[in-house]
Amino acid sequence: MPRIALAIGLAAGLAAAIAAQPAKAQVFGGANVGTLGLGADLGFHITDFVGVRATGNYLAFDISRSLGGVNYDLDLNFMSAGGVVDFYPLALLPLGDGLRLSAGARWNGNEVDFSTSTAAAVQIGGTTYAVGTRLDGSIEFGDVAAYAGIGYVFTPAPFVRVALDAGVLLQGAPKVTLRTTNPLVTAADLRAEEAQIENDLNFLRYYPVITLSGFIRF
């Protein structure tokens, strides 16, 4: 609930800021790439000190990794979109005007589907099961994720900007769901294996975000 309230508050603030922008406010748009994937930004620089952005990203790739002691093929699909408020605390200084502190929230569609990548016997929840036991599962995170970061906006040309940002997406602890084709696997072993995988991936609740973006200001 606190994340949902935060997202609603930030969305309302973003809408109000856009609606209240003065005629001289600068509009910008462009593309970005980073640890959340490929994406796009659209925003408004309201004053020297405050800007707002709507942003979205998509990333998909496959990897193999051991989770809970079992080798899996993982299909990662990261999708997220939301709003960010940027603060430029040194906007009036000639050498610090590009520094920005950012805070916001995203709808978080990051998820992972996975399945066993070996036909060997597997250990599930401390019990070894026979060759041919297949495991399939999914990993999901919170539907709403808060974001906080710091960055710098460079000006290589009068209407061109390049920004580098680093931050963290607070997407919550991973929730793992496991399924198996072997009817002999007990529910207790499945739950224990889910808990082990969740423990292995708990670091992803604080997902590191590094983004390089280029945009044009109108």
Side-chain angles (χ1 to χ4, degrees), residues 50-157:
V50 180
V52 292
R53 284 180 288 144
T55 183
N57 292 87
Y58 176 74
L59 175 66
F61 62 96
D62 299 331
I63 61 172
S64 296
R65 176 172 173 167
S66 175
L67 300 173
V70 179
N71 293 323
Y72 291 100
D73 293 325
L74 290 82
D75 179 14
L76 287 80
N77 288 280
F78 284 7
M79 295 179 289
S80 62
V84 178
V85 179
D86 297 315
F87 302 94
Y88 297 84
L90 305 178
L92 300 183
L93 298 180
L95 297 180
D97 58 336
L99 178 68
R100 68 184 181 190
L101 307 176
S102 305
R106 286 178 175 242
W107 162 78
N108 185 33
N110 292 348
E111 63 179 15
V112 181
D113 295 317
F114 60 91
S115 59
T116 48
S117 59
T118 176
V122 294
Q123 189 174 68
I124 305 171
T127 303
T128 300
Y129 289 91
V131 171
T133 297
R134 179 184 173 89
L135 283 172
D136 297 283
S138 61
I139 305 168
E140 297 180 335
F141 302 89
D143 291 335
V144 178
Y147 170 81
I150 184 172
Y152 199 91
V153 181
F154 301 90
T155 310

Side-chain angles (χ1 to χ4, degrees), residues 188-203:
D189 280 339
L190 281 179
R191 301 294 85 78
E193 193 68 19
E194 288 172 349
Q196 180 60 53
I197 296 174
E198 288 172 350
N199 184 66
D200 288 350
L201 298 178
N202 192 53
F203 68 94

